[in-house]
Amino acid sequence: MMRRAAAAAILAMMLIAALLLRGESFVDVSERLLPPSSMHLMGTDTFGRDVASRIGTGILVSASIAAAASSIALAAGLALSFFFSLWRMPGPVFLTAILTLKTVPPVLLALFLSAISGPGVIKLAAVLAIGHAADIAETAYSRVLVARSEDYTLSAIGLGKGRVDVYLHHILPAIMPYIAKQAVSIFSASILSEASLSFLGCGVPVTIPTLGSMLSEARPVMGQAPWLVAFPALFLFLIGLSLELLASGRSELDPSSH
Amino acid sequence: MAFFAVSFIVFALSSLAEGDSSAFILSEDAGEAEIAAYREGMGLDDPFLLRYASFIASFLRGDWGESASGHDIKGLILHSAPVTVSLSLSSLAIALMISIPLSIAGSRSRAAGCFVSGLSVTIMALPSFLTAMFLVLLFSRVLDLFPVAGYVPLSRGVMRHIQSLFLPSLTLSLLHSSLYMRVFRKALSDGIRSTYSRFALSTGMKRKQLALSSAFRPALPLLFSLVAQSLVSALGGAAVIETVFALPGIGALMVSAALSRDSRLAGIIMILLSIAASLVFFVLEGLLPLIDPRIRRGR
């Protein structure tokens, strides 16, 4: 409990810091590679841009991409679970479809799409959501199977309650913790994948700063300007760590963990 | 089955992009007639399914066409596949060497458990390229033990081959082992706390024996599935690591295809990797009944 609260607090602070730091950064060649000072809190990069404000914008961009990806995945998970509760899916066919999706790692899919149509923010969010769709579909499927064979669900159906009613009152509460947990882990996986893709230059367009692309620009000058690597890396690590702590462990929503 | 699904999706998506390839390849001032002639020549006017069939046929014949820069795709892939295979296998070996002893230690004492889960959470929280950069700093800049980047093929000395692959495989293996440790340690402690191992303890079984038979063995199938899963992600997901360490593998090829907008090369790589992944899962399904009597007896 403490651990999760701390993680959530770090995330909230990070968001506030990002909002405060965010700002336009200008190319100023006379101020290249300056170390951290009171003027430039985290120094300047190869083009003389202020690192702090770029980090602020970068965090917001990464977070919104990840948020979009995980909410698409969440919506897909809920929709799928509703369909599963209406009809009995032929299990083997469905599981084969999931296995097919699983043979393609999300980063690979994103690279392929980037080969076809170039980088883009919305495309990236969609690709990350599709790449993780197999996981959430699998969770929804197995949890709905469990929930609809529970006695309370069967008796509700026996009493003649409508499908939607049964879904909302008996199946949804039972599966929600699992789906929500999956959505959080998709969020953190998306943050990491987005950073990797931007690091490779295949993520968002180069004009938009993200933590990944900042690190990739900083790599050649790592020796002269260590702050260019240190600050984005530190933020990325803190975000990853707190999301990891938030997603691990049993869900607070899960009544069986109390 | 998976092959047809993936190849169909790849083909459908790249044909969406290919629709404009006449604009790419012909010069700016090509007239309507020239474009039509080009499309005719490339077979772009045929119905969609017909083009798909001929794509599959030439793929199965081993005729994979040319990349956008005019190289033979088959040659490129045959050239880079050994690097990726060698990288994934060595990283799996290191991952198992790290994670099995650590998860056994972690399931036995509380302090070790704390250390192990701390380590695995830290590694999971970092994207792989950052881990790679830190390892390079530590091993190449500070300790000066291994080359920063580059690849030496096996034919030019075993020692130098291993040296050039050590840091990339260590990075990948840390990534895999953090996942193994988390899942495997849980399975081990579940096994130790189970009723059957309590029963075994009460019959006077030695602790060492118990750990092997009632904790390690039930957790083994899980470990096998994890290894298969990470082999799949290593084959495809090594893109980042290969780029950071300048290894000329499949992943790096995929990245350069993505950067140069080469949809044909990227599509072929994707189909091949998904075939490889299906093969891995297929082998896993064959292996699981052999090591797990519960599956063999159809439970």
Side-chain angles (χ1 to χ4, degrees), chain B residues 242-276:
Chain B
E242 282 176 6
T243 310
V244 172
F245 288 102
L247 299 176
I250 296 278
L253 195 62
M254 185 76 185
V255 173
S256 69
L259 286 176
S260 62
R261 298 280 208 95
D262 189 342
S263 63
R264 181 152 192 115
L265 180 56
I268 298 273
I269 294 177
M270 196 139 120
I271 296 175
L272 286 175
L273 283 176
S274 95
I275 293 175

Side-chain angles (χ1 to χ4, degrees), chain A residues 77-249:
Chain A
L78 289 180
L80 276 175
S81 68
F82 181 63
F83 284 118
F84 295 152
S85 69
L86 289 185
W87 296 287
R88 269 186 206 288
M89 280 289 285
V93 176
F94 180 69
L95 292 176
T96 310
I98 284 186
L99 204 61
T100 308
L101 264 180
K102 272 202 172 165
T103 59
V104 181
V107 172
L108 194 67
L109 189 67
L111 283 175
F112 174 61
L113 278 196
S114 150
I116 290 181
S117 59
V121 173
I122 297 169
K123 269 183 279 185
L124 189 59
V127 164
L128 291 175
I130 296 169
H132 294 288
D135 298 329
I136 206 150
E138 202 175 22
T139 312
Y141 182 67
S142 58
R143 286 298 146 192
V144 166
L145 275 194
V146 173
R148 61 182 278 166
S149 59
E150 292 279 0
D151 286 342
Y152 54 77
T153 317
L154 291 177
S155 48
I157 295 174
L159 283 171
K161 289 207 177 165
R163 301 271 192 199
V164 179
D165 202 26
V166 169
Y167 175 75
L168 283 181
H169 290 108
H170 300 286
I171 293 181
L172 190 61
I175 62 169
M176 202 51 207
Y178 298 96
I179 304 258
K181 195 175 154 189
Q182 193 89 54
V184 174
S185 66
I186 289 178
F187 185 86
S188 74
S190 300
I191 291 260
L192 294 189
S193 310
E194 184 274 321
S196 300
L197 286 166
S198 303
F199 181 76
L200 293 175
C202 304
V204 298
V206 280
T207 44
I208 304 173
T210 72
L211 296 178
S213 63
M214 292 180 71
L215 282 165
S216 119
E217 282 167 22
R219 201 157 76 97
V221 289
M222 197 156 98
Q224 314 159 39
W227 60 89
L228 279 185
V229 173
F231 288 113
L234 181 71
F235 275 91
L236 204 49
F237 173 66
L238 284 179
I239 293 175
L241 186 67
S242 39
L243 282 173
E244 194 60 43
L245 291 178
L246 211 58
S248 70

Side-chain angles (χ1 to χ4, degrees), chain A residues 11-91:
Chain A
L11 280 182
M13 265 162 58
M14 207 76 93
L15 200 61
I16 293 170
L19 283 171
L20 286 179
L21 291 174
R22 171 182 73 127
E24 283 294 300
S25 52
F26 302 102
V27 175
D28 185 352
V29 190
S30 64
E31 296 196 325
R32 296 182 64 228
L33 297 179
L34 290 180
S37 64
S38 58
M39 259 300 284
H40 299 288
L41 218 51
M42 299 176 191
T44 59
D45 68 1
T46 2
F47 297 106
R49 291 172 298 196
D50 182 38
V51 173
S53 57
R54 277 171 67 80
I55 284 183
T57 320
I59 290 175
L60 293 179
V61 171
S62 304
S64 32
I65 290 174
S70 76
S71 34
I72 295 173
L74 184 66
L78 289 180
L80 276 175
S81 68
F82 181 63
F83 284 118
F84 295 152
S85 69
L86 289 185
W87 296 287
R88 269 186 206 288
M89 280 289 285

Side-chain angles (χ1 to χ4, degrees), chain B residues 149-182:
Chain B
Y151 174 71
V152 182
L154 195 56
S155 53
R156 280 209 274 142
V158 179
M159 205 47 221
R160 288 178 60 201
H161 177 68
I162 294 177
Q163 257 192 351
S164 73
L165 276 184
F166 179 77
L167 278 186
S169 15
L170 184 64
T171 317
L172 263 185
S173 68
L174 280 178
L175 223 62
H176 296 319
S177 61
S178 64
L179 184 69
Y180 297 174
M181 282 191 289
R182 162 182 292 186

